[in-house]
Amino acid sequence: MSSKLILAIETSCDETSAAVIENGNRMLSNIVASQVKSHQRFGGVVPEIASRHHVEQITLIIEEAMREADVTYEELDAVAVTEGPGLVGALLIGVNAAKAVAFAHQIPLIAVNHIKGHIFANQLVNEMKYPLLSLVVSGGHTELIYMDNPGSYEIIGETRDDAAGEAYDKIGRVIGVPYPGGKHIDEMAHKGKDTYHFPRAMIKEDNYDFSFSGLKSAFINTVHNAKQKNEVLNDENLAASFQAAVVDVLVDKTIRAVKEKQAKQLVLAGGVAANKGLREALTQAVKNEAEGVELLIPPLDLCGDNAAMIGAAAFVQLEKGEFADYTLNGRPGLSV
Ligand code: KG4
Ligand code: ZN
């Protein structure tokens, strides 16, 4: 097979990223500029600030990705970009940069769904095999997605309210850790014990949906009640109890789904895939309860937002000739 090169761009939230990917599975470069420090003092991503940073960074990041990959624009087979979901102003910066590259060098433009990108981050490390089941857990999404082949996506379960990462970030604010709280709560959880026994919402229900807002409320009530009584709670135990509740439900429903769907692989994806507790519990559960299923977990640097995963997903579309035209727009609410 002749080698195919894709320049990929990702600007859906608060990372400006560009990557060059060969044949959908080999990373020649993956440059990620995080804006997290600019948003931290606001306790969350401020869309206007995100867009402004993307504008300042995008050209430099693309050039750096091309330089590090040692590839010329003439060698590219396509340019791919995240079209959604995400912040509309942020998406537009990437989309316009990609259109400019496509037009200037007369190469095809590929529009990629961010969620599909997260799933395909795994392809950069291991060959994905079908049928597979993916647990997508990020700041904006919590979904169980069944894939019969590389181009088919069936959402078999999803959150009815907060995404897992969103719940982490919200309770992180209550405990007082910097935004985004997920990573900090994860670290604290490992030093504590599940002493508060928060609810495992919907764990017994006969479906693959999730709910995290009740857990979030239970957590916040526990902290507020203690404050009113001047009681001091153990933050590490609080974090461990919260994490245990999240992980229990995610793992329980995912294992049930992987067995029912008779998937060959279970593929973890999204920012919360970096969670140590989840990685460990899922590994253990597959070993004990889903023998024969191959578990793929992306390395930590490919769990969060990055352009390499967009390039990996785009390769499937390149092979099928699924191209976008210059009317491409940011689609903030795009689903899989
Ligand atoms: O996929 P991602 O980078 O952005 C979205 O597409 O949403 O995910 C970001 C989310 C944030 O909510 C962040 O707190 C969470 O991933 N996260 C974690 C961990 N690392 C990042 N959540 C729990 N444990 C972690 N170690
Ligand atoms: Zn993401």
Side-chain angles (χ1 to χ4, degrees):
M1 179 171 83
S2 71
S3 114
K4 296 226 171 111
L5 295 173
I6 297 177
L7 167 65
I9 296 168
E10 151 68 39
T11 63
S12 67
C13 191
D14 59 348
E15 336 274 347
T16 315
S17 181
V20 179
I21 303 301
E22 184 179 18
N23 294 335
N25 58 14
R26 202 171 148 240
M27 232 178 347
L28 303 188
S29 63
N30 185 31
I31 313 295
V32 183
S34 173
Q35 316 171 349
V36 79
K37 289 218 158 54
S38 306
H39 300 285
Q40 233 155 29
R41 68 193 157 112
F42 302 104
V45 176
V46 184
E48 288 80 2
I49 296 178
S51 306
R52 204 158 66 220
H53 278 292
H54 286 310
V55 171
E56 287 166 5
Q57 290 294 316
I58 190 70
T59 312
L60 300 169
I61 297 295
I62 290 174
E63 278 170 8
E64 198 178 331
M66 293 294 287
R67 195 166 47 239
E68 193 177 302
D70 199 16
V71 161
T72 64
Y73 285 98
E74 287 63 44
E75 290 173 287
L76 292 176
D77 291 283
V79 54
V81 64
T82 306
E83 66 166 337
L87 302 168
V88 68
L91 290 164
L92 276 174
I93 312 298
V95 165
N96 285 318
K99 280 193 215 174
V101 172
F103 182 72
H105 303 283
Q106 291 298 302
I107 50 175
L109 180 64
I110 299 175
V112 178
N113 181 304
H114 182 81
I115 303 299
K116 297 180 184 176
H118 272 302
I119 297 173
F120 273 86
N122 286 280
Q123 183 85 305
L124 296 162
V125 186
N126 284 291
E127 189 192 345
M128 285 163 59
K129 295 180 194 136
Y130 303 86
L132 66 75
L133 182 81
S134 182
L135 171 63
V136 180
V137 271
S138 74
H141 294 263
T142 302
E143 280 156 9
L144 275 168
I145 298 177
Y146 177 75
M147 295 178 68
D148 224 355
N149 63 66
S152 100
Y153 299 83
E154 184 197 347
I155 298 178
I156 63 164
E158 63 193 328
T159 183
R160 303 234 175 125
D161 38 62
D162 291 355
E166 186 182 0
Y168 266 98
D169 297 342
K170 283 181 179 164
I171 68 110
R173 213 176 302 176
V174 175
I175 280 197
V177 296
Y179 176 85
K183 186 168 169 260
H184 303 282
I185 300 295
D186 188 15
E187 279 161 14
M188 288 166 73
H190 278 263
K191 297 179 196 145
K193 285 207 171 70
D194 178 6
T195 53
Y196 294 96
H197 309 298
F198 291 124
R200 270 70 171 155
M202 302 179 69
I203 201 164
K204 294 265 182 290
E205 286 185 26
D206 191 17
N207 58 44
Y208 299 121
D209 287 344
F210 304 98
S211 165
F212 296 106
S213 80
L215 167 61
K216 179 191 66 188
S217 302
F219 185 97
I220 293 171
N221 289 341
T222 303
V223 172
H224 284 177
N225 289 342
K227 248 189 209 148
Q228 276 170 352
K229 293 186 206 149
N230 275 327
E231 279 172 23
V232 179
L233 299 179
N234 180 316
D235 281 352
E236 288 165 356
N237 287 347
L238 274 172
S241 304
F242 174 83
Q243 178 139 311
V246 172
V247 169
D248 271 1
V249 186
L250 288 175
V251 170
D252 186 279
K253 292 223 163 173
T254 303
I255 294 292
R256 252 195 272 163
V258 86
K259 286 204 279 201
E260 195 210 281
K261 287 293 194 177
Q262 299 188 328
K264 270 194 195 148
Q265 277 185 343
L266 173 58
V267 170
L268 189 58
V272 185
N275 187 274
K276 253 197 289 170
L278 178 59
R279 294 165 85 96
E280 288 164 8
L282 208 51
T283 306
Q284 206 51 49
V286 168
K287 209 190 237 167
N288 296 344
E289 299 167 51
E291 216 191 314
V293 175
E294 187 186 2
L295 175 64
L296 303 188
I297 299 182
L300 290 181
D301 58 339
L302 294 177
C303 290
D305 292 345
N306 66 86
M309 68 187 199
I310 302 303
F315 182 69
V316 176
Q317 293 168 252
L318 175 66
E319 292 293 87
K320 287 188 182 167
E322 283 174 14
F323 301 121
D325 61 32
Y326 295 131
T327 62
L328 181 65
N329 214 332
R331 294 170 71 188
L334 184 67
S335 68
V336 296

